[in-house]
Each structure stands twice: as structure tokens, then as C-alpha cells.
């Protein structure tokens, strides 16, 4: 079996290397362009407008709005996100209790680094341990923010509001990352008076490594965690809610001893429960995940729900895979959540190098993709710290390319974590010069909303050597981003992505002895839908 897997693995790498060499535009696979008919042009200063028309229509037949809708000439979608961890001050702020102005500068440095590397989303940890890096009436201010649990920033500001606004200004989505059950981390100093440990000791258990954990079986714990999520979704202009792999804790946290939930287990049995203890634990987590999924959409339909579980569901799924059994240790049936479509995006933590056969990156990603029977997003989590080792140089760019080959219609990657991207110049350069040469849009989520925004209003002026393009939204709905597509004669289509507040751009009339031939602009909404695309053909004098 091992020899067969090794041969299959080598063959896959060969195919992928051929694929990557032939791919000139790394963002996504191009879709076939529809043929167009150009109507008699109407002259507007120095341009003519030629709209793409549906083909093969009999005279007098009706055309639906869907048939009249024109898609852009190339696909520019790919999810590119990075986790920003606040637990133990891994990424931000650099240490507890720093001055808020310094915290803001550090946040902008992180966001600018992501923008410059052509990322389009940030996953920001706002609840590392039943606390808050935002203003909350449900949980205390985080120790990691101010150096004391329950203490507000001085001078006051709301970090989450700051991060959201700064991310959106840079054209990035902001997803809040919460740990649903961790009550206290070993790096968080003393337990504060407002901690759930002090206020509700019946909700929590102490683990052998010094952490405290909330009991997932406790109905009050479930209600409280759901209320925290609902509060954030309701009050903040976020784009997504994100859970990681911490459900029931890893066995190592409790000295390999079983999770101490004997009280809850006996109450379940006394109530007539018939499930095995393992199935009961999994059901506690399953019911909570479904509840969160439904309650997010009830409050704001456009907010995505994502989970990044441990990368292996169970050993030997698929055959040859070795590792921890999250189904039996974390009581997380991540495959079920994907099969049922309870999450909008699914990010298995595939943190191993490609050459590690027992945890093969391409084989695991292919298996998870095959379980995506409801067609939601599968965007793997990859480990940027791999490139700290010399033998893994180039690993991250390779994994991104492998992901594109396995998921050509819906590419995306989430990167753990932002620090290597900022500290490792070789890594940052390899991404910017390689797979992330150009920016990309966050892929559409049509199950959330498939109604495109209105086509923007354009004004185009020509000078001696340049074309000035100005635009604005039509209707009440503001655009989240804009995409300008343009084509020089006898060349491929190109594009530029702009942020919500951008409203103008200039293109050279002639570049490399080729005239600017066609342009078109789309508005992009919160879930990635683009407006109708209209080609504007330039007059050649």
C-alpha cells in the first residue's frame, strides 16, 4: 500500500508541476468567453459601446434577465486569508497592556503587509478565552489586550471596530475568530473577577495542564457562547464568523485523561439518554455548530460561517493517512458539518509539508474536497512556519498551486499565521512574485445571495496619451469593491481591483506599441457578486 501511495504521490506532483508551468495567470482557471455581437456603435467622445448579446435567439423570442446578464471576460476569484492570533499575544498586540496608539500602529502594519501581499481577508481572534477584544456586556476585556482581565483600554477605543474599518479600507474582509469553549489559557495571568470561572464555576472544569474549559454538554454554556456570537454579528460590520479546532480539548491538555464531564454525563443518562458517551459528546458539538450556523443567517444573511478543524477526520480516511482521530479525541465530526453544508467555508488545517506521506497535503485536500457534497467553499489552512526550515523553502507557493489544481473552480487558502509573512522576506517575496502576483476577489457564495449589484455609471475622458476612467455606484447599495477589466489589441484581458472608496483610474492609450482596445468595469457586493459586464470599445483615430 505504501509503494502505491508513493507512486501516486509522485505522479500527482509531476502533473501539478506541468500544470503550474502552463498557468500564466495564477489567480484562477479562466472560463470560456461567450462570443459577442457588436451592435451599431454609439459614439461618446472617444469611445464606442458594444454590448455582448445572447446567441442563437429566434426573431421575436423573449430574453430573460439571466440570459441578458454578461459575465466578465476572466475569472479573478480566490480566497486569500491569514489568521491574526491574540492568544498569548502571538500576533497582536505584541504584549499585554501596550498603549492603544501603539496597538493601532501594529494593527495597521499587519493589515498593510497583507494588502501589499495581495491578501483579501483577515481572520482576527476576538475571543481567545471567554473574554473580549471588543466592547462587550457579556464577557470581560481580554488580558491579552490591557494586561488585566476586565480592564478597558485607556484611552478608550474598540479594537474590533478599528480592525473592521481598517481592513475594509484596504479591500479586505474581516472575519471574527472565536474559541467557543476555552475558559482560561495558561498564558493569561490570574483568573479575573469577571471570568466565567468565577461567575459560573458550574460551567467549567480544570484540565491537567492548567487550562480551564467550559463543558460543551452544559446548556447554559451553549446558550452563552451562542449569545456572544449573536452579539458580535448584530453590532459589528463583520464579514464572517470563524471557529478553529478547539471543541472538546486535545487529550494532551488533560494529561491523556478523559474529559472530566461526569456530572453532565450522569444527568444525561438520568434523563433517559441512550447514546454512547462518545456519540453524546459529538452530538453536543454538532447541535451547537448547527445552531450557530442558523442564528448567524437569521441576524445577517451575508455573514459567512467558517470552521478550521484538525486536518485529519479519522486515520485511514483516505487510506494511508495517519494521525490523531479528531472524531474520537475532540468529538468533532467535521465531515458531518461539511456533508450537511452547515458551514459556508471549510478550512481543514493541513499543516504538514507536501512530502510527508502519512499526512499527504494533496491526498487529504482531495479527500476533503470529495466530501463537499453541498458545494460550499473548501479552502485549506496551510502552515507558513514550515518555511522556517531550509528544506521546506518554496513549500507554501507549491501548496497554493496544488490547491488550485485540486479546487480549480473555487480556489482559496488560509495561512497560519501572519507573523512569518511579515518576518520572512523570502517567503513574502515568493508569494508576491509567484502565486499572488495580482490581487483577487473573495469567491462568490451564491447560497447567501446571488443577486448582482447594479452596473456602475462610467465617465471616460481621453487626453493625448491616457484614458481617464471615473465611476460611481448606481442605486442605494454601496459597492464593496470594483474590478476594471481592460485589453490591449492582440493581447489577453487584464484587470485591476479597487477598494470601495476608489472612483477613478488612468490607463495608457498605448503600451508596448499596442493600443488600448477594450475596457469594462464591474461593481462587487459583500458576497462577491459582480454587476453586469459591458464592453466599451475604444475608437482608433
Amino acid at each position: 500500500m505504501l509503494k502505491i501511495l508513493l507512486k501516486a504521490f509522485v505522479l500527482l506532483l509531476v502533473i501539478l508541476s506541468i500544470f503550474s508551468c502552463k498557468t500564466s495567470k495564477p489567480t484562477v482557471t479562466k472560463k470560456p468567453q461567450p462570443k459577442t455581437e457588436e451592435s451599431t456603435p454609439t459614439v461618446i467622445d472617444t469611445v464606442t459601446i458594444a454590448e455582448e448579446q445572447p446567441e442563437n435567439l429566434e426573431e421575436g423570442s423573449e430574453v430573460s434577465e439571466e440570459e441578458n446578464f454578461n459575465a466578465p471576460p476572466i475569472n479573478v476569484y480566490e480566497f486569500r486569508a491569514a489568521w491574526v492570533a491574540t492568544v498569548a499575544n502571538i500576533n497582536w498586540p505584541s504584549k499585554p497592556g501596550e498603549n492603544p496608539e501603539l496597538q493601532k500602529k501594529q494593527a495597521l502594519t499587519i493589515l498593510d503587509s497583507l494588502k501589499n501581499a495581495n491578501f483579501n481577508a483577515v481572520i482576527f481572534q476576538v475571543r481567545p478565552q471567554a473574554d473580549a477584544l471588543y466592547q462587550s456586556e457579556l464577557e470581560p476585556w481580554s488580558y491579552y489586550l490591557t494586561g488585566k482581565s476586565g480592564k478597558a483600554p485607556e484611552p478608550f477605543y474598540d479594537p474590533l471596530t478599528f480592525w473592521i474599518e481598517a481592513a475594509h479600507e484596504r479591500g479586505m474582509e474581516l472575519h471574527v475568530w472565536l474559541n467557543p469553549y476555552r475558559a482560561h489559557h495558561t498564558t493569561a495571568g490570574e483568573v479575573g473577577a469577571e471570568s466565567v470561572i468565577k461567575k459560573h464555576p458550574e460551567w467549567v472544569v480544570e484540565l491537567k495542564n492548567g487550562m480551564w474549559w467550559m463543558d460543551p454538554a452544559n446548556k447554559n454554556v451553549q446558550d452563552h457562547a451562542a449569545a456572544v456570537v449573536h452579539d458580535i454579528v448584530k453590532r459589528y460590520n463583520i464579514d464572517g464568523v470563524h471557529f478553529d479546532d478547539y471543541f472538546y480539548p486535545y487529550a494532551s491538555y488533560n494529561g491523556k485523561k478523559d474529559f472530566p464531564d461526569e456530572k453532565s454525563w450522569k444527568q444525561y443518562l438520568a434523563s433517559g439518554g441512550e447514546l454512547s458517551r462518545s456519540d453524546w459528546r459529538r452530538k453536543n458539538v454538532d447541535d451547537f455548530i448547527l445552531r450557530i450556523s442558523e442564528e448567524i443567517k437569521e441576524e445577517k444573511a451575508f455573514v459567512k460561517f467558517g470552521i478550521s478543524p484538525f486536518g485529519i477526520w479519522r486515520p485511514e480516511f483516505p487510506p494511508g493517512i495517519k494521525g490523531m482521530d479528531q472524531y474520537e479525541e475532540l468529538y468533532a465530526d467535521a465531515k458531518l458539518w461539511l456533508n450537511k453544508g452547515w458551514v459556508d467555508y471549510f478550512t481543514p488545517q493541513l499543516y504538514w509539508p507536501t512530502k510527508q506521506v502519512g499526512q499527504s497535503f494533496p491526498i487529504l485536500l482531495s479527500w476533503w474536497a470529495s466530501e463537499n457534497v453541498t458545494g460550499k467553499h473548501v479552502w485549506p489552512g496551510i502552515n507558513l512556519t514550515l518555511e522556517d526550515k531550509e528544506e521546506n523553502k518554496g513549500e507554501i507557493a507549491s501548496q497554493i498551486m496544488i490547491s488550485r489544481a485540486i479546487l480549480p473552480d473555487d480556489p482559496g487558502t488560509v495561512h497560519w499565521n501572519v507573523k512569518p509573512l511579515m518576518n520572512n522576506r523570502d517567503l513574502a517575496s515568493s508569494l508576491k512574485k509567484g502565486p499572488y502576483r495580482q490581487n483577487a476577489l473573495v469567491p462568490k457564495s451564491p447560497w447567501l445571495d446571488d443577486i448582482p449589484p447594479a452596473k456602475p455609471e462610467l465617465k471616460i475622458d481621453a487626453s493625448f496619451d491616457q484614458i481617464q476612467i471615473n465611476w460611481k455606484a448606481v442605486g442605494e447599495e454601496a459597492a464593496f469593491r470594483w474590478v476594471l477589466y481592460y485589453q490591449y489589441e492582440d493581447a489577453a484581458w487584464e484587470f485591476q481591483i479597487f477598494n470601495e472608496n476608489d472612483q477613478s483610474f488612468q490607463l495608457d492609450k498605448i503600451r508596448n506599441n499596442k493600443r488600448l482596445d477594450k475596457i469594462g468595469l464591474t461593481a462587487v457586493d459583500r458576497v462577491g457578486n459582480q454587476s453586469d459586464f459591458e464592453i466599451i470599445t475604444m475608437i482608433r483615430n
Side-chain angles (χ1 to χ4, degrees):
M1 175 62 73
L2 181 58
K3 289 183 177 179
I4 294 173
L5 283 174
L6 285 171
K7 288 182 179 179
F9 179 69
V10 172
L11 179 60
L12 178 59
L13 288 180
V14 172
I15 294 171
L16 290 173
S17 65
I18 294 172
F19 173 88
S20 62
C21 291
K22 291 184 177 180
T23 304
S24 57
K25 286 191 177 289
T27 48
V28 290
T29 302
K30 293 184 181 180
K31 292 183 178 179
Q33 296 183 37
K35 296 180 181 178
T36 63
E37 292 180 10
E38 295 191 359
S39 57
T40 303
T42 302
V43 177
I44 302 179
D45 293 332
T46 60
V47 301
T48 64
I49 298 177
E51 297 186 10
E52 296 188 358
Q53 304 292 336
E55 295 185 325
N56 303 323
L57 293 177
E58 296 181 1
E59 186 175 353
S61 62
E62 294 184 358
V63 181
S64 69
E65 290 186 9
E66 183 177 348
E67 289 170 324
N68 264 329
F69 185 84
N70 296 308
I74 51 176
N75 191 338
V76 296
Y77 290 108
E78 182 173 51
F79 192 64
R80 302 173 184 171
W83 280 288
V84 175
T86 58
V87 65
N89 298 100
I90 292 174
N91 295 140
W92 185 89
S94 62
K95 62 182 180 180
E98 286 185 319
N99 181 278
E101 291 305 312
L102 180 57
Q103 291 178 356
K104 292 177 185 179
K105 289 180 181 179
Q106 292 173 356
L108 294 181
T109 298
I110 291 172
L111 290 170
D112 286 338
S113 295
L114 292 173
K115 178 190 175 186
N116 293 336
N118 286 328
F119 280 63
N120 54 30
V122 57
I123 300 175
F124 175 52
Q125 190 176 31
V126 299
R127 189 197 191 224
Q129 50 157 27
D131 55 359
L133 282 94
Y134 61 96
Q135 190 169 19
S136 171
E137 294 182 358
L138 300 177
E139 295 186 313
W141 285 99
S142 177
Y143 164 86
Y144 299 117
L145 183 70
T146 64
K148 183 177 180 180
S149 176
K151 180 184 177 182
E154 295 179 5
F156 180 82
Y157 82 114
D158 188 321
L160 180 53
T161 298
F162 181 84
W163 274 83
I164 292 169
E165 293 176 352
H168 286 178
E169 287 172 1
R170 289 157 177 77
M172 287 183 280
E173 291 190 349
L174 191 289
H175 297 214
V176 289
W177 164 20
L178 304 91
N179 294 90
Y181 300 122
R182 186 163 58 201
H184 189 75
H185 194 274
T186 54
T187 62
E190 65 178 347
V191 176
E194 296 299 310
S195 168
V196 66
I197 299 169
K198 294 287 185 67
K199 296 180 72 173
H200 297 285
E202 73 279 9
W203 292 5
V204 300
V205 295
E206 186 175 11
L207 305 179
K208 298 294 185 183
N209 71 345
M211 288 191 192
W212 289 81
W213 216 263
M214 288 183 278
D215 182 0
N218 189 304
K219 178 66 163 55
N220 292 321
V221 167
Q222 297 169 10
D223 291 345
H224 177 72
V228 169
V229 174
H230 181 265
D231 177 56
I232 296 174
V233 173
K234 182 177 182 179
R235 293 194 296 118
Y236 290 92
N237 187 28
I238 61 171
D239 303 287
V241 172
H242 185 95
F243 289 166
D244 57 16
D245 54 326
Y246 295 112
F247 297 99
Y248 282 83
Y250 285 84
S252 60
Y253 291 5
N254 200 38
K256 300 294 183 180
K257 302 292 185 181
D258 197 21
F259 184 73
D261 57 359
E262 189 68 20
K263 182 179 178 180
S264 296
W265 172 238
K266 287 181 178 179
Q267 289 174 346
Y268 170 73
L269 294 177
S271 69
E274 297 179 349
L275 294 174
S276 69
R277 197 162 185 171
S278 293
D279 288 341
W280 165 72
R281 286 173 173 169
R282 276 187 289 273
K283 189 176 187 304
N284 293 329
V285 177
D286 293 343
D287 291 348
F288 180 71
I289 295 299
L290 177 58
R291 174 180 179 175
I292 295 298
S293 177
E294 292 175 342
E295 290 184 358
I296 288 172
K297 299 304 183 290
E298 288 172 2
E299 182 60 40
K300 289 180 182 175
F302 66 84
V303 173
K304 291 184 275 286
F305 180 36
I307 296 181
S308 55
F310 183 70
I312 298 169
W313 179 58
R314 306 200 71 180
E316 297 301 323
F317 286 87
I321 291 299
K322 310 296 181 185
M324 191 266 290
D325 187 345
Q326 69 171 305
Y327 184 83
E328 283 293 350
E329 182 169 322
L330 306 182
Y331 303 99
D333 191 355
K335 185 174 86 71
L336 176 71
W337 313 334
L338 180 60
N339 293 160
K340 295 290 187 180
W342 293 347
V343 293
D344 300 301
Y345 68 97
F346 188 84
T347 299
Q349 296 177 11
L350 306 182
Y351 288 172
W352 305 280
T354 305
K355 62 188 177 184
Q356 197 160 314
V357 176
Q359 297 79 37
S360 167
F361 178 86
I363 291 176
L364 276 168
L365 180 55
S366 296
W367 183 83
W368 282 115
S370 72
E371 294 294 331
N372 184 25
V373 293
T374 62
K376 299 301 177 65
H377 302 299
V378 173
W379 297 323
I382 63 176
N383 182 7
L384 296 183
T385 64
L386 288 176
E387 294 214 12
D388 291 344
K389 296 182 178 180
E390 186 64 32
E391 65 265 26
N392 290 330
K393 296 298 182 184
E395 177 73 21
I396 300 307
S398 295
Q399 291 190 358
I400 292 170
M401 297 305 295
I402 290 171
S403 298
R404 289 175 177 174
I406 294 172
L407 305 166
D409 297 325
D410 187 20
T413 309
V414 184
H415 302 71
W416 170 258
N417 58 73
V418 72
K419 184 179 288 186
L421 189 70
M422 299 176 65
N423 294 345
N424 187 333
R425 293 184 179 180
D426 291 341
L427 171 61
S429 177
S430 70
L431 296 185
K432 186 66 181 289
K433 293 179 180 179
Y436 291 171
R437 284 197 299 271
Q438 284 190 275
N439 210 336
L441 295 179
V442 171
K444 295 182 286 186
S445 300
W447 54 90
L448 301 182
D449 176 7
D450 61 356
I451 301 174
K455 184 168 58 179
E457 181 180 311
L458 283 178
K459 181 182 179 183
I460 301 173
D461 296 306
S463 64
F464 175 75
D465 58 352
Q466 289 191 320
I467 299 294
Q468 174 71 37
I469 306 161
N470 297 286
W471 62 82
K472 63 181 180 179
V474 173
E476 296 181 357
E477 182 181 359
F480 187 65
R481 305 197 82 178
W482 313 89
V483 188
L484 175 67
Y485 300 89
Y486 54 96
Q487 184 180 45
Y488 285 83
E489 57 185 348
D490 303 321
W493 280 94
E494 302 175 60
F495 69 93
Q496 294 279 345
I497 297 176
F498 299 95
N499 299 336
E500 56 185 339
N501 295 325
D502 296 326
Q503 291 188 313
S504 65
F505 191 67
Q506 287 185 338
L507 286 170
D508 293 332
K509 272 188 173 180
I510 299 176
R511 191 185 68 186
N512 298 327
N513 295 320
K514 294 182 181 292
R515 289 179 176 269
L516 182 63
D517 189 25
K518 297 177 181 179
I519 64 171
L521 183 89
T522 60
V524 186
D525 67 13
R526 288 290 293 262
V527 295
N529 295 309
Q530 292 187 72
S531 62
D532 188 25
F533 178 74
E534 183 179 53
I535 293 177
I536 299 175
T537 303
M538 315 306 294
I539 289 178
R540 299 181 182 180
N541 297 325

